[in-house]
Amino acid sequence: MTDAAAQGAHRARYRRILSFAAREFLKIWWFELVLPKFGLSSVSERTRAPRMQRFAKRFHVLAVELGGLMIKVGQFMSSRLDVLPPEITKELEGLQDEVPSVPFSGIRAAAEAELGMPLEQAYAWFDETPVAAASLGQAHRARLAAQDAVDTGLGNVVVKVQRPGIDEIVAVDLAALRRVARWLTRVRLVADRVDAPGLVEEFAQTSLEEIDYLHEAASAERFRENFAEDARVSAPEIVWERSTRRVLTLSDVTAIKINDTDALRAADIDPSEVADVFAEVMFDQVFTHSFVHADPHPGNIFVTPEPATTGRNFRLTFIDFGMMAEVPASLRDGLRTLLIAVAGRDSKGLVAAAQEVGVLLPSADTAELERALRALFARFGGMGFAELSKVDPKEFTDFADEFGDMVRSLPLQLPENMLLLIRAVSLTSGMCSSLDPTFNVWDAAEPYAGRLLRDESGNLMQDMAQQAMETAAVTYRLPKRIDAIITRVDDGNVSFDTSRLERRLDRLEGIARRIGSGVLFAAMLVGGALLVPSIPPLGITLLCVSALPLLHAVFGGRRSR
């Protein structure tokens, strides 16, 4: 493709993304904002499900045809089983495996250009059929050359190669997303709660990191080190000799896909146990290691069967570390408080944690919010997604009617550094629910919250012990220091320099006099102005004399300086 043709294709791609977004915004505006103002809310509610389904189908077609970051957006929406309606998640879940592959000729050319040698020299064998095609690259099975196999101790590997021209496609998609974010800043309901441009910039940063395979390789090694002593988790090894920014070679760890429940049962692995372990591992990533796999969709996690000698007959194998979330200490502490409050059904603690994390601004009416959370915990607390789906919809409607206006008026915001973390949590909750329909997030959170609470208590005791030691040390030294001071006083060796204090007192006295002059000036000025109409001589005299205290107030302090 010539440069002119490529530029034309990029412009067409940009326009298509914007036109799709504009049409969908217009439909949402009409059905969700305009019709209710004319008393036609029933029309909006009655047509919402089919409209969501049509939207999902249209976006599905757009994402598959365009690829690039549009696939990433679709994958995120398909994972929100706990938030988005099934009309959307069901339609988009196929995007995980529906990305069209690149012809092998293009992959060969890209890989050889990066490695600087023919594939036959770099690998003993290279499968032309991809094992997986992703939005930004695709993976092929291969076997290392004899010397590389000896050096690394590895034989079979997986080679990830970026799609040709993906840098330019990502740049176009980000430009379109930035434009859509600027549109959202004009929607007050969105702008008051979310910094859409800020979120897009964070998404841009993670996307650019994701197309740098050296960055992904470093993240994979860090993840492996974090769980090196944990039998529940594993990750592939990196073959650095055959890895560059656009080509990544790693050990082949292919096993059972985490969402393949039939294969799990055939291997005598309980999917519900997989869900529990998966939730525990994700909690550990957030609260123990502060380094979270932010793209844990089914294509990126395998369940590897293991001998049941350790009490568990499987381990979770994570791949694809291009999208990782760092959890700062301040955010981690807030999330720990949040988890403990949720597990304890503590409405006041939950509000405080939301403020600490930065989701809820300090100006919020916390009393009313605490009342709403108490009602929420009392009625729905402890229920899993399966139980919630059986609750009478009227109960949700009544709750929304009672507290909806209050919730919508809350000064909420989404801190930028939480975007990837929220994605990871969303994917985790959706995956656990699909593995086990009775999965209860409360049951998963409570043991972990108890452990965190014990850790917090241990840290508190350590702090108290350290403070006690410091206090004891000061107390031990105090009698000697007091005795030394008394001895110096008795000997006449203690003197006090009061000159600086005297100068400050003189300055404060001068300022007080100038303030008094200012007050006298204001009184004489106002009094004179009031007396001029009735007693002109006296009024004019006061106005003239008021200049004296004014001059003192303005210039009285210069000599003292």
Side-chain angles (χ1 to χ4, degrees), residues 537-551:
L538 182 57
I540 293 172
T541 301
L542 286 175
L543 288 175
C544 294
V545 174
S546 69
L548 296 177
L550 173 63
L551 291 173

Side-chain angles (χ1 to χ4, degrees), residues 97-369:
D97 304 298
E98 203 174 333
V99 182
S101 61
V102 177
F104 183 69
S105 58
I107 292 296
R108 172 187 282 275
E112 292 181 344
E114 278 293 299
L115 297 174
M117 64 181 71
L119 283 183
E120 291 77 11
Q121 183 180 344
Y123 303 95
W125 169 76
F126 198 99
D127 191 357
E128 296 186 5
T129 303
V131 65
S135 55
L136 305 180
Q138 66 187 46
H140 293 255
R141 284 193 172 92
R143 191 161 46 249
L144 290 177
Q147 187 58 50
D148 289 338
V150 171
D151 293 340
T152 62
L154 301 173
N156 295 328
V157 294
V158 171
V159 183
K160 291 178 62 175
V161 184
Q162 279 186 15
R163 289 174 174 261
I166 193 63
D167 290 331
E168 292 79 9
I169 291 174
V170 168
V172 171
D173 290 356
L174 289 177
L177 291 174
R178 288 183 176 110
R179 183 75 174 272
V180 173
R182 289 197 294 271
W183 291 350
L184 289 174
T185 59
R186 301 176 185 177
V187 181
R188 185 173 180 180
L189 185 64
V190 177
D192 288 347
R193 289 162 172 77
V194 178
D195 179 10
L199 294 180
V200 169
E201 289 309 315
E202 186 179 1
F203 184 63
Q205 179 182 349
T206 58
S207 299
L208 295 175
E209 289 176 351
E210 199 170 357
I211 58 177
D212 182 354
Y213 284 165
L214 292 178
H215 183 274
E216 177 180 345
S219 297
E221 289 214 331
R222 178 177 171 184
F223 186 90
R224 277 176 56 83
E225 291 173 1
N226 288 344
F227 289 95
E229 306 299 326
D230 194 330
R232 301 171 302 169
V233 185
S234 65
E237 297 183 49
I238 305 300
V239 183
W240 289 99
E241 296 81 356
R242 292 292 177 261
S243 298
T244 70
R245 182 178 177 275
R246 293 183 175 87
V247 175
L248 177 61
T249 304
L250 58 164
S251 58
D252 189 353
V253 294
T254 307
I256 302 172
K257 253 183 160 180
I258 191 171
N259 66 339
D260 191 346
T261 53
D262 292 337
L264 291 174
R265 292 190 181 95
D268 198 26
I269 298 174
D270 185 0
S272 62
E273 187 179 358
V274 173
D276 292 338
V277 173
F278 181 43
E280 291 174 4
V281 169
M282 294 305 292
F283 277 134
D284 280 341
Q285 291 179 46
V286 175
F287 296 107
T288 302
H289 304 297
S290 302
F291 191 59
V292 184
H293 194 302
D295 197 21
H297 66 72
N300 286 341
I301 305 170
F302 295 116
V303 179
T304 304
E306 289 280 310
T309 55
T310 60
R312 185 180 296 110
N313 63 341
F314 68 89
R315 71 175 185 271
L316 298 177
T317 302
F318 287 74
I319 64 171
D320 193 351
F321 299 91
M323 191 179 294
M324 304 296 291
E326 293 271 5
V327 184
S330 58
L331 177 59
R332 185 181 64 250
D333 292 343
L335 291 173
R336 288 161 71 101
T337 307
L338 187 70
L339 179 61
I340 293 171
V342 169
R345 320 297 198 263
D346 179 6
S347 58
K348 186 173 183 178
L350 186 57
V351 170
Q355 290 176 325
E356 183 178 354
V357 170
V359 173
L360 182 64
L361 298 182
S363 59
D365 182 1
T366 57
E368 188 65 16
L369 178 58

